[in-house]
Amino acid sequence: MRLLRAGSYREMPWKNGGGTTTEIAVFPAGAGLDGFDWRVSMARVESGGPFSLFAGVDRTLAVIEGDGIRLTVGGAVPVALDKACEPLSFAADVETHAVLAGGPVRDLNVMTRRGRARHSMRRLALCGHAEIPIAGDVLLVFCAEGDIAVSGKEAMRLGPHDTLLVDRDADTLRLVAGRPSVALLIVITAGDHAS
């Protein structure tokens, strides 16, 4: 298990130059925007507009701060997302346009390159405890709100925007929150047959 503190993340420009992103974790380590197998990042979206395109990449987005965002992916019906919604998965190589519901938002993004990895992300509202099965090759627990204690081989505490990265060396992880908190759980599986 590796604890990634919010203050240690790397800031970098968006691929389309329209803003900045905060890289939380990437594999292989140090990979650029065209060379990652998988990548987890946060972005602050200040205004509506087009998303960067990533050829051969699948993406999932969750809103973690702000009033919300409406995404139009290709010719599909627009989808409204806010902090209470489940994350939205879509192809990152399809033209996507964002409209803000109010002011700026901060979102959490997971991207995996087709043929090299696949992923899932879900929101977990937590007050009390939960047993989380460790699936895939990597599990990331992102603390979106509140404080979350983690007990496994080691005991750790996640504050807002901290992330726990767990390689598959255990069966379950116990998460405990003494007050209402929100975690985003990301499972990444590597392999040639990923989609």
Side-chain angles (χ1 to χ4, degrees), residues 7-163:
S8 69
Y9 301 151
R10 182 172 71 132
E11 293 281 335
M12 55 194 301
W14 287 357
K15 187 175 180 182
N16 68 10
T20 59
T21 188
T22 304
E23 188 173 85
I24 295 171
V26 65
F27 181 83
L33 294 178
D34 294 322
F36 63 80
D37 288 359
W38 61 262
R39 182 174 186 260
V40 179
S41 63
M42 283 187 294
R44 182 171 168 83
V45 182
E46 301 279 352
S47 61
F51 272 30
S52 301
L53 294 175
F54 291 86
V57 169
D58 291 315
R59 181 176 193 166
T60 302
L61 180 145
V63 173
I64 57 175
E65 290 177 5
D67 292 335
I69 192 169
R70 190 171 67 246
L71 294 183
T72 303
V73 181
V77 174
V79 177
L81 298 172
D82 61 26
K83 293 190 302 182
C85 293
E86 278 300 309
L88 176 69
S89 297
F90 56 99
D93 48 9
V94 173
E95 201 169 295
T96 301
H97 192 272
V99 175
L100 298 181
V105 300
R106 188 176 304 277
D107 58 39
L108 183 72
N109 292 274
V110 182
M111 290 190 269
T112 49
R113 196 165 307 279
R114 290 179 210 125
R116 294 194 205 166
R118 64 184 184 272
H119 72 273
S120 65
M121 176 166 51
R122 70 180 176 97
R123 187 179 299 273
L124 175 67
L126 186 64
C127 190
H129 72 276
E131 300 287 335
I132 305 301
I134 298 176
D137 295 305
V138 177
L139 169 70
L140 294 99
V141 179
F142 175 86
C143 181
E145 296 177 28
D147 294 284
I148 300 170
V150 180
S151 58
K153 288 188 172 181
E154 303 172 51
M156 299 183 184
R157 181 168 294 278
L158 304 179
H161 300 177
D162 289 343
T163 304

Side-chain angles (χ1 to χ4, degrees), residues 163-181:
T163 304
L164 182 67
L165 192 153
V166 184
D167 290 323
R168 189 157 191 189
D169 60 353
D171 292 328
T172 61
L173 203 62
R174 183 179 171 87
L175 305 181
V176 181
R179 61 187 175 99
S181 299

